[in-house]
Amino acid sequence: MSSRDVLKNASTLASYNVLLQVMFRVLTFLLNAFTLRFVSKELIGVVNVRLTLLYSTLVFLSREAFRRACLSGDTGGKHNWRQHVNLLWMTLPLGVTWGVLLACVWLRLLEVPDPRTLPFYGPAVVLFALAGVQELLAEPLWVLAQAHMFVRLKVVAESLAMLAKCIVTVVLVVSAREWGLYIFSAAHLVYTGVLVLCYAGYFLRFLGSEEASKRDFPLRSVGDLLPHKASGEPLVDWSVARLTWSFFKQSFLKQILTEGERYVMTFLNVLSFGEQGVYDVVNNLGSMVARFVFLPIEESFYVFFAKVLQRGRPVQSQRKEDVAVAAEVLECLLKLVLVIGLVIAVFGYAYSGLALDIYGGSLLSSGAGPSLLRCYSCYVLLLAVNGVSECFVFAAMSQEEVDKYNVVMLALSASFLLLSYLLTWWAGGVGFILANCLNMALRISHSILYIHRYFLPSPWKPLQGLLPSPLLCVALAASTAVTVVSEGVLCCDGGWLLRLVHVGVGAVCLVFVLLAVLLAESRLVAFVRTQLLPQYGKKHT
């Protein structure tokens, strides 16, 4: 498969993933707005911070390293998928081990909520851990689907799973509110169960079919999906296993950086359960765009860079066509996420208070809520740049470079935890976001230096994507001034009419910014149209 074909598939995958994440965020947005009217903020804090942290830690540490290692490789198609499947099944016993260890920590070492106000905490911990282990049953299938660009499978499976979770949550919140934590435990088990069933059902139908033959799919029967040793070859590819171990050491540190504030809240008790609930709702609202736009782009184009570039080889020894495509894509991706991040930072500042008031009422719009969301709007810009830059770096690094970077990640993790603890005592929840910003800036600096050194012997300069055009800078600066003045004059105590006028002012400014993008960033517009919107592009070819 040529690099252009890989780019086309990765772009399609990114487009579907963005649409999927948009749907997820909208459903979660509506679900949280609904549950805020029926349950306490303390319950929201325990579920969304402590129990969700248990689940995400278990799943991330059990599978992230395997995903990155098994999706890496060159364009020669030399993967031995039987050996990869054997390796991927190691996620299940690893998940069981992590589940037992983490459940013991959550039950024995952490502060237990008052059973009179938050009953069923113990069973909920066990059920959330069980949900994580259940999801790992689909891990070999997920990696196969991702590597072979089964884009619709992921969309359908995760859509059905999320829909089932929302239905269970709404029904139980309305009809059995006294179940408390059982409601969210049951909903999460349903989510992971539906996910596994969708992937299993698809591959049961797909393997051995005519479509599989046309795709030249490397596995022929259901038995090939189960761990087994083929004659004359090792059980696993040990080079991939060693790469997995390198990523595994890194994944532990990356998880601390990704979920650091939740670890600090959970283990150091710097915020009450109620304050954790408010912070988490604001955090989810602020990270909505980061999750449904930036994360799918990062996941999809990591696959692209890993397939186009040969890991660990300098740019001079790569195919020129592949390097040219990779550089062009990286530059456009950096420019895309930079523009989106700047727009969010500009308009997020002036519309945070209004957004929280509409979403959760005075529970969110009073107190520290608006300040949290304003800070998060700026943090999103750093998230955007870091996601794309690290996406390239991790695909291009050799195993030795990955191991060296683990030391950097260790230092970042330690500094982040210390900064989070100190800044939280000083500034409350805002301190978490400030600590995240500082650490994200350091990670971006490392990635930029690596990219600069990587492309230095070549004529390509993809880091130019981090330079917005002068016209766009003027448009953003003017929009910032106008919307801040509009907020001070019109929002948010003057009634709904003035609020609507404030929204209208923002809409006009946004149109002004988009026009600046269309006029001054024509290369970016062409990239979005032809690569990230492939279905739209097909209609015009």
Side-chain angles (χ1 to χ4, degrees):
M1 184 180 293
S2 69
S3 57
R4 292 289 178 181
D5 290 333
V6 175
L7 171 59
K8 181 180 179 181
N9 288 335
S11 302
T12 305
L13 180 59
S15 302
Y16 277 114
N17 280 344
V18 168
L19 293 175
L20 180 64
Q21 291 298 324
V22 168
M23 187 198 70
F24 275 16
R25 290 300 103 196
V26 170
L27 285 176
T28 304
F29 179 86
L30 296 175
L31 184 63
N32 285 339
F34 175 81
T35 54
L36 281 171
R37 271 70 177 176
F38 289 88
V39 300
S40 67
K41 59 183 180 181
E42 288 76 15
L43 181 62
I44 293 292
V46 171
V47 172
N48 288 0
V49 176
R50 180 170 290 192
L51 295 179
T52 302
L53 180 64
L54 167 66
Y55 163 81
S56 65
T57 302
L58 187 159
V59 170
F60 189 91
L61 294 181
S62 300
R63 74 184 183 190
E64 177 68 11
F66 293 88
R67 286 185 171 185
R68 287 195 174 275
C70 291
L71 289 174
S72 299
D74 55 34
T75 56
K78 298 178 181 178
H79 286 305
N80 185 324
W81 280 106
R82 284 188 175 84
Q83 293 179 332
H84 279 29
V85 167
N86 292 339
L87 183 63
L88 288 166
W89 276 112
M90 291 298 297
T91 59
L92 189 58
L94 185 60
V96 172
T97 303
W98 277 118
V100 173
L101 292 175
L102 294 173
C104 290
V105 171
W106 258 244
L107 293 173
R108 301 293 183 183
L109 300 183
L110 299 181
E111 176 192 357
V112 176
D114 187 350
R116 292 171 296 181
T117 56
L118 293 170
F120 316 122
Y121 172 75
V125 167
V126 175
L127 291 174
F128 265 79
L130 180 61
V133 173
Q134 180 174 250
E135 184 170 345
L136 294 175
L137 291 170
E139 190 58 23
L141 308 181
W142 186 94
V143 172
L144 283 167
Q146 191 81 353
H148 293 87
M149 302 294 179
F150 294 173
V151 291
R152 291 182 179 84
L153 171 59
K154 182 178 181 180
V155 172
V156 172
E158 297 194 15
S159 300
L160 291 176
M162 178 57 74
L163 185 60
K165 177 183 177 180
C166 291
I167 291 173
V168 171
T169 303
V170 170
V171 170
L172 293 181
V173 164
V174 173
S175 62
R177 202 179 313 170
E178 67 279 3
W179 286 16
L181 294 173
Y182 275 134
I183 295 173
F184 300 93
S185 303
H188 216 70
L189 279 169
V190 168
Y191 170 81
T192 57
V194 172
L195 204 61
V196 172
L197 288 175
C198 288
Y199 275 94
Y202 179 86
F203 276 95
L204 285 174
R205 182 195 65 81
F206 175 76
L207 290 175
S209 66
E210 184 178 345
E211 181 184 358
S213 299
K214 289 181 179 179
R215 285 176 173 259
D216 195 23
F217 195 71
L219 305 182
R220 303 302 179 188
S221 65
V222 175
D224 290 339
L225 296 175
L226 301 176
H228 66 283
K229 185 178 184 300
S231 60
E233 63 182 30
L235 182 64
V236 298
D237 185 334
W238 292 109
S239 63
V240 178
R242 287 190 293 271
L243 183 60
T244 302
W245 174 242
S246 297
F247 278 128
F248 179 78
K249 292 182 290 184
Q250 185 187 99
S251 66
F252 183 79
L253 302 174
K254 186 177 180 181
Q255 175 67 5
I256 294 177
L257 291 173
T258 303
E259 301 280 10
E261 68 271 14
R262 286 184 169 86
Y263 286 114
V264 173
M265 283 188 281
T266 298
F267 287 91
L268 300 181
N269 298 320
V270 292
L271 299 177
S272 67
F273 288 123
E275 291 171 330
Q276 290 179 27
V278 173
Y279 175 85
D280 185 74
V281 171
V282 173
N283 180 56
N284 284 333
L285 187 61
S287 64
M288 185 179 293
V289 175
R291 292 183 180 182
F292 72 61
V293 174
F294 301 140
L295 184 59
I297 289 175
E298 177 186 350
E299 289 180 346
S300 302
F301 281 93
Y302 173 79
V303 177
F304 164 72
F305 289 128
K307 285 180 175 291
V308 168
L309 300 176
Q310 297 184 33
R311 178 181 295 279
R313 296 182 62 178
V315 69
Q316 305 97 311
S317 60
Q318 306 269 3
R319 291 174 53 193
K320 289 186 177 181
E321 178 190 356
D322 293 341
V323 176
V325 172
E328 178 186 357
V329 170
L330 179 59
E331 181 178 351
C332 290
L333 286 178
L334 288 173
K335 179 61 67 67
L336 174 64
V337 297
L338 179 73
V339 170
I340 297 175
L342 287 172
V343 169
I344 293 171
V346 167
F347 291 93
Y349 187 88
Y351 289 88
S352 294
L354 179 59
L356 290 177
D357 191 58
I358 295 173
Y359 184 57
S362 59
L363 176 68
L364 299 180
S365 61
S366 61
S371 298
L372 285 170
L373 192 54
R374 288 189 182 103
C375 291
Y376 211 101
S377 298
C378 298
Y379 174 53
V380 165
L381 173 59
L382 297 176
L383 274 176
V385 176
N386 179 72
V388 169
S389 59
E390 281 195 348
C391 153
F392 175 86
V393 169
F394 288 147
M397 276 182 171
S398 66
Q399 181 179 337
E400 292 74 19
E401 289 172 323
V402 172
D403 289 334
K404 291 179 181 178
Y405 189 57
N406 288 338
V407 179
V408 177
M409 294 284 279
L410 179 61
L412 289 174
S413 301
S415 65
F416 173 75
L417 293 177
L418 179 61
L419 282 171
S420 295
Y421 183 72
L422 296 176
L423 292 176
T424 302
W425 282 114
W426 171 63
V430 172
F432 283 123
I433 302 175
L434 294 177
N436 271 311
C437 288
L438 291 173
N439 276 272
M440 199 61 65
L442 292 174
R443 290 169 65 178
I444 291 172
S445 299
H446 173 272
S447 298
I448 287 177
L449 288 174
Y450 182 92
I451 294 170
H452 173 72
R453 290 195 300 265
Y454 185 87
F455 285 100
L456 190 60
S458 74
W460 298 285
K461 309 297 177 186
L463 290 177
Q464 292 178 355
L466 293 175
L467 301 175
S469 64
L471 178 61
L472 178 58
C473 291
V474 171
L476 290 170
S479 297
T480 301
V482 171
T483 53
V484 168
V485 171
S486 174
E487 182 187 31
V489 174
L490 302 173
C491 194
C492 288
D493 299 320
W496 283 102
L497 181 59
L498 292 180
R499 294 183 183 188
L500 288 174
V501 174
H502 178 49
V503 172
V505 171
V508 172
C509 291
L510 180 59
V511 170
F512 179 50
V513 170
L514 293 178
L515 286 174
V517 172
L518 290 173
L519 292 174
E521 304 288 356
S522 57
R523 185 179 178 187
L524 172 63
V525 173
F527 175 78
V528 171
R529 179 183 174 185
T530 59
Q531 301 301 334
L532 292 184
L533 299 176
Q535 301 304 319
Y536 177 81
K538 288 178 182 177
K539 295 179 182 179
H540 294 76
T541 56

